[in-house]
Amino acid sequence: MTTLCTALPEQLRLLLVDDHRIFLDGLSLALAPLCPDLHIHTAQNADEAEACLRQHDFDLILLDLRLPDVPGLELLQRWQRQGRMTPVAILSASDSNLDAQAAMAAGALGFIPKSADGDDLRQAVTRVLLGETLQAPVSGDKPPLTPRQQEILLLLADGLPNKAICRRLGVSEDTVKTHLKALFQELDVHNRTACVSAARQRGWL
């Protein structure tokens, strides 16, 4: 770990985006040893994050998937469309392989579980800062799904109806139904509840 850290610049500016203030405070303390002159900014929702980005350039953004106003994955995709070059790593309470795969497909450079201890967290952040892409964990039964199908499955597991999924992803209801049909066929099920259950059994959620 020491060898990795010496390769970092002496000054870094990080943006931490999470809706839990206590977690942000703990994360800031855990990251403090990264370099001598570390500037940490925090945001508790997408609006605050975008306000920070208008004011500063950051070396890395640590982004939670579950935000109160805009889902983290949707926010990441928005930044990708805008051509924002700031590296983003997802920091999530989810240990789901599917969450990780969807985040990487959306442009994240790493997926770090919140269950990581301080040393593992600093090591993962250091690797991303040094330009490395942290491969998402892969289960033995990798889902043969497209990134869009992965997104829909996640929203399905959150209990969202088709119309809400349409609004969240900006697609038509027919498109959602087409993807759901493909998911049902892949998992050999006939309804939404069975789809989520089968996906969990395979370790996709």
Side-chain angles (χ1 to χ4, degrees):
M1 177 60 198
T2 303
T3 304
L4 281 171
C5 278
T6 57
L8 290 176
E10 291 193 357
Q11 184 180 74
L12 288 168
R13 189 182 297 273
L14 308 183
L15 175 59
L16 315 180
V17 187
D18 190 282
D19 61 335
H20 295 97
R21 169 53 59 188
I22 291 177
F23 178 76
L24 287 173
D25 291 344
L27 186 58
S28 300
L29 288 172
L31 293 173
L34 273 178
C35 70
D37 190 9
L38 179 64
H39 297 269
I40 292 181
H41 298 250
T42 61
Q44 293 185 262
N45 54 52
D47 282 344
E48 290 181 9
E50 301 217 299
C52 288
L53 289 170
R54 287 192 292 269
Q55 295 173 1
H56 301 283
D57 290 325
F58 292 93
D59 296 289
L60 177 66
I61 301 170
L62 289 178
L63 176 65
D64 186 24
L65 281 181
R66 307 283 190 258
L67 297 176
D69 49 355
V70 177
L73 201 62
E74 184 177 321
L75 186 60
L76 174 57
Q77 291 170 327
R78 180 191 302 174
W79 291 339
Q80 292 287 311
R81 289 193 299 271
Q82 292 170 350
R84 186 170 296 283
M85 302 302 291
T86 309
V88 176
I90 298 298
L91 191 63
S92 176
S94 169
D95 290 319
S96 163
N97 291 328
L98 198 59
D99 275 341
Q101 296 291 341
M104 301 299 279
L109 296 184
F111 187 92
I112 307 168
K114 288 183 177 179
S115 57
D117 62 26
D119 286 340
D120 288 343
L121 171 65
R122 287 188 292 272
Q123 185 171 19
V125 168
T126 296
R127 290 169 63 190
V128 175
L129 284 166
L130 293 176
E132 185 177 342
T133 298
L134 304 183
Q135 294 301 315
V138 178
S139 66
D141 188 13
K142 184 178 179 181
L145 308 177
T146 66
R148 180 64 82 192
Q149 288 169 352
Q150 292 175 10
E151 291 172 350
I152 289 175
L153 182 56
L154 286 173
L155 296 174
L156 201 64
D158 284 342
L160 270 65
N162 285 3
K163 290 187 183 300
I165 294 175
C166 296
R167 290 194 296 271
R168 184 71 61 86
L169 298 180
V171 298
S172 70
E173 190 164 1
D174 284 341
T175 298
V176 171
K177 288 178 179 178
T178 298
H179 285 304
L180 284 177
K181 182 179 179 181
L183 284 168
F184 288 2
Q185 289 176 343
E186 181 63 42
L187 291 165
D188 193 24
V189 297
H190 302 287
N191 60 58
R192 302 160 71 91
T193 302
C195 180
V196 172
S197 177
R200 291 192 193 284
Q201 289 175 5
R202 294 196 188 189
W204 296 1
L205 288 170

